[in-house]
């Protein structure tokens, strides 16, 4: 390819909306163009990168025995109703774009494909002899994200590789899940991405075990907590830890005391010489359902702890299962309640806040569902709000509260907490970009969509399922987030838009043009993905663009062309090697060969 033919439009300044380096560089280099919020055009350079990523993904998927197919993006609501996800995905998080066709039938644009693929399996699979089987696809997914941002990192239309496997038993599912884990590690290594495999929350997809692959980067939206000994790593959404010990507090009598204007833990602790670990705090939420009124929820944690809303939502889903799917969990809005005459002593709440305080609250029904985290439940004596403004209470123990609570871990593990597997090690925090997620789904979808098979002994059982996703477009941008400098992108050879750029320093010099053409031809003949920068531009402009585009190898045909000499430089290194043009291929090809496999140590020029 010749740079002249590329319609190369590079920008001097990053666009205002690009907050992180990879987004800025991709736009400045002309790789992507924004069409609307969260919707991007992949321009020819980006498309070359994506096709290379896809080729790696295909090879590794095929190696696990998975079969490629292509499922429809338009999916009937009826399928999603059968798995009970239509409401969660439309009315709840509202992540699924949905529409009604001219016949009045509801459809969704696929954010994921469990329903479609499981219904196909239900049609096709009859016997244990047909198992195991696994399908994958590389497809555009649609999600109406609440906050699309960071370019391809969180798009509303993006490319995903998703795979679904079907098994006769849990053991075979676990075996294949292990294969996929290995395939994922190879994919990321081959793309030149540094990832951490971490325990993950299974979210609205559901199922048992799941693991995320996090590209380590400061711009990552996820927080990973891991132990220094390498034995534990989890997304904070799911992480468990041992909380810091509480400072002992001996409370002999159940008594109230005045705390004028001291709303909240910090104010009370400061005024009464208490440690936050000697207090408990009370949070109020509403759990929203598709049908019927919301459920008020009262959660108690030790004063120094934070609630983990993912854990809390999962717990409510289990405890309130008979009410249907929990669409959302919202903090109770005190101002709205007040407008309806419900006065809450905010800042002075206690675990025994009476149910009748909520009388008249719109859209809420019944008494509180009361939840206590072990950090609070395990305290012998503590201080809490007295449920009246400007008063707190010393409580000698939970029997003095006298109500029943559901005890469950709903706290957010924090960096610095001690690890459950070894209290001598502590958790440290790393930011990560979720580039892949693998799940053991079990029978969740096969039961809902009646995907069953007959076993060897003749009984009928639901098929065990796994599902496996990679954000292909997100992954490509994550590689830039990990590999750039002040001048632009630094692509690894394995997925670079071009492996080599031949820069003719002065496009008006015949010698230079001739040698440039010759090397371009030789490199192409040797199967190298090469770009010839033969534009009539100043050398400085071409060098700047070459750095910006991040092509891993640069051959400069300049002043010494007449003597048959060129310069060779790696984008990631400083050194420049002067060498005879006749030696270029012999020098470059073995190095390229190694680098195409990805994740190898950088080879010095
Ligand atoms: P996130 O937590 O980042 O919203 P998710 O857990 O909802 O992602 P999955 O349903 O596990 O995502 O999808 C599989 C993969 O698709 C993710 O691991 C991620 O790499 C990618 N992905 C998900 N949402 C987006 C998006 N909006 N834009 C680009 N890639 C995405
Ligand atoms: Mg995920």
């Amino acid at each position: 390819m010749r740079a002249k033919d590329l319609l190369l439009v590079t920008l001097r300044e990053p666009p205002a909306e690009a907050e992180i380096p990879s987004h800025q560089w991709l736009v400045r280099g002309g790789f992507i163009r924004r069409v609307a919020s969260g919707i991007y055009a992949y321009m020819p350079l980006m498309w070359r990168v994506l096709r290379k990523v896809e080729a790696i993904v295909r090879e590794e998927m095929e190696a696990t025995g998975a079969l490629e197919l292509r499922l429809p993006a338009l999916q009937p609501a009826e399928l999603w109703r059968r798995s009970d996800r239509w409401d969660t995905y439309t009315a709840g998080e509202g992540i699924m774009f949905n529409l009604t066709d001219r016949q009045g039938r509801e459809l969704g644009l696929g954010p994921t494909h469990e329903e479609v693929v499981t219904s196909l399996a239900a049609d096709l699979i009859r016997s244990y002899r047909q198992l195991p089987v696994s399908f994958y696809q590389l497809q555009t997914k649609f999600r109406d994200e609440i906050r699309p941002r960071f370019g391809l990192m969180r798009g509303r239309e993006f490319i995903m590789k998703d795979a679904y496997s079907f098994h006769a038993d849990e053991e075979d599912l676990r075996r294949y899940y292990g294969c996929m884990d290995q395939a994922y590690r190879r994919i990321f290594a081959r793309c030149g991405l540094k990832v951490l495999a971490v325990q993950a929350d299974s979210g609205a997809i559901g199922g048992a075990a799941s693991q995320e692959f996090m590209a380590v980067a400061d711009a990552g939206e996820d927080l990973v907590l891991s132990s220094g000994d390498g034995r534990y790593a989890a997304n904070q959404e799911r992480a468990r830890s041992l909380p810091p010990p509480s400072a002992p507090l001996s409370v002999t009598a159940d008594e109230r005391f005045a705390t004028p204007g001291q709303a909240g833990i910090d104010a009370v602790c400061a005024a009464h010489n208490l440690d936050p670990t000697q207090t408990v705090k009370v949070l109020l939420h509403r759990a929203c359902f598709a049908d019927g009124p919301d459920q008020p929820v009262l959660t108690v944690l030790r004063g120094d702890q934070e609630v983990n809303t993912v854990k809390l939502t999962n717990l409510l889903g289990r405890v309130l299962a008979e009410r249907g799917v929990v669409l959302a969990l919202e903090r109770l809005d005190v101002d709205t309640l007040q407008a309806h005459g419900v006065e809450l002593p905010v800042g002075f709440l206690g675990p025994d806040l009476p149910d009748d305080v909520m009388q008249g609250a719109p859209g809420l029904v019944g008494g509180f569902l009361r939840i206590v985290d072990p950090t609070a439940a395990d305290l012998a004596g503590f201080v809490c709000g007295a449920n009246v403004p400007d008063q707190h209470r010393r409580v000698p123990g939970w029997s003095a509260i006298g109500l029943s609570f559901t005890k469950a871990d709903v706290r957010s593990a924090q960096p610095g907490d001690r690890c459950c597997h070894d209290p001598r090690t502590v958790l440290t925090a790393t930011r990560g970009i979720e580039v892949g997620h693998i799940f053991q789904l079990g029978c969740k979808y096969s039961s809902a969509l009646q995907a069953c098979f007959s076993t060897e002994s003749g009984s009928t059982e639901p098929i065990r399922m796994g599902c496996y996703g990679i954000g292909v477009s997100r992954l490509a941008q994550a590689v830039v987030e990990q590999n750039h400098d002040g001048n632009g992108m630094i692509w690894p050879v394995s997925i670079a838009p071009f492996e080599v750029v031949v820069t003719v320093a002065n496009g008006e010099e015949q010698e230079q043009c001739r040698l440039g053409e010759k090397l371009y031809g030789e490199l192409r003949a040797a199967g190298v993905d090469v770009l010839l920068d033969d534009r009539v531009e100043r050398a400085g402009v071409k060098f700047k663009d070459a750095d910006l585009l991040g092509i891993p190898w640069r051959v400069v045909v300049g002043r010494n062309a007449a003597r048959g000499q060129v310069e060779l430089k790696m984008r990631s290194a400083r050194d420049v090697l002067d060498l005879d043009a006749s030696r270029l291929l012999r020098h470059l090809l073995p190095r390229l060969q190694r680098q195409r496999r990805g994740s190898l140590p950088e080879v010095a020029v």
Side-chain angles (χ1 to χ4, degrees), residues 415-459:
D417 284 354
R418 294 162 303 150
C419 296
C420 296
H421 71 274
D422 180 357
R424 289 166 306 177
T425 56
V426 293
L427 293 175
T428 52
T430 319
R431 295 220 76 87
I433 301 163
E434 182 193 324
V435 286
H437 198 165
I438 58 177
F439 299 79
Q440 290 176 34
L441 293 172
C443 300
K444 176 171 165 149
Y445 296 91
S446 49
S447 298
L449 293 143
Q450 274 106 49
C452 299
F453 71 106
S454 54
T455 64
E456 208 168 349
S457 61
S459 61

Side-chain angles (χ1 to χ4, degrees), residues 500 502 518-528 530 584-585 588:
V500 178
V502 175
K518 180 165 178 281
L519 292 175
Y520 174 59
E522 286 173 6
L523 286 163
R524 271 164 49 112
V528 176
V530 54
L584 177 70
L585 265 72
L588 193 53

Side-chain angles (χ1 to χ4, degrees), residues 21 106 128 165 231 287 318 323 345 358 399 456 497 535 538:
E106 289 174 290
Y128 70 95
S165 67
R231 285 168 58 198
R318 291 194 299 275
R323 298 267 317 265
M358 299 305 288
S399 55
E456 208 168 349
R535 291 175 298 166
R538 281 182 297 111

Side-chain angles (χ1 to χ4, degrees), residues 310-330:
V310 174
K311 288 184 184 176
L312 184 56
T313 309
N314 290 344
L315 173 75
L316 295 174
R318 291 194 299 275
V319 176
L320 301 170
E322 82 283 358
R323 298 267 317 265
V325 181
V326 177
L327 292 185
L329 179 71
E330 292 168 5

Side-chain angles (χ1 to χ4, degrees), residues 1 6 45 48 52 491 493 495-501 529-531 550-553:
M1 174 79 68
L6 248 186
L45 287 169
R48 293 179 73 91
K52 290 188 180 181
W491 289 100
V493 166
I495 63 167
F498 294 96
E499 296 169 322
V500 178
V501 54
D529 231 344
V530 54
L531 178 71
I551 297 168
W553 290 92

Side-chain angles (χ1 to χ4, degrees), residues 80-81 84-98 106 144 146 288-291 325-330:
W80 286 74
R81 292 217 164 88
D84 226 1
R85 288 209 296 182
W86 179 258
D87 287 335
T88 333
Y89 273 72
T90 56
E93 291 175 12
I95 208 134
M96 178 151 63
F97 288 103
N98 54 91
E106 289 174 290
D144 195 2
I146 296 168
C288 313
F289 298 91
D291 298 313
V325 181
V326 177
L327 292 185
L329 179 71
E330 292 168 5

Side-chain angles (χ1 to χ4, degrees), residues 18-37:
E19 297 166 60
I20 60 171
S22 55
H23 185 190
Q24 295 173 349
W25 290 123
L26 285 175
V27 175
R28 284 188 57 186
F31 282 60
I32 57 172
R33 305 285 298 189
R34 182 179 179 276
V35 174
S37 165

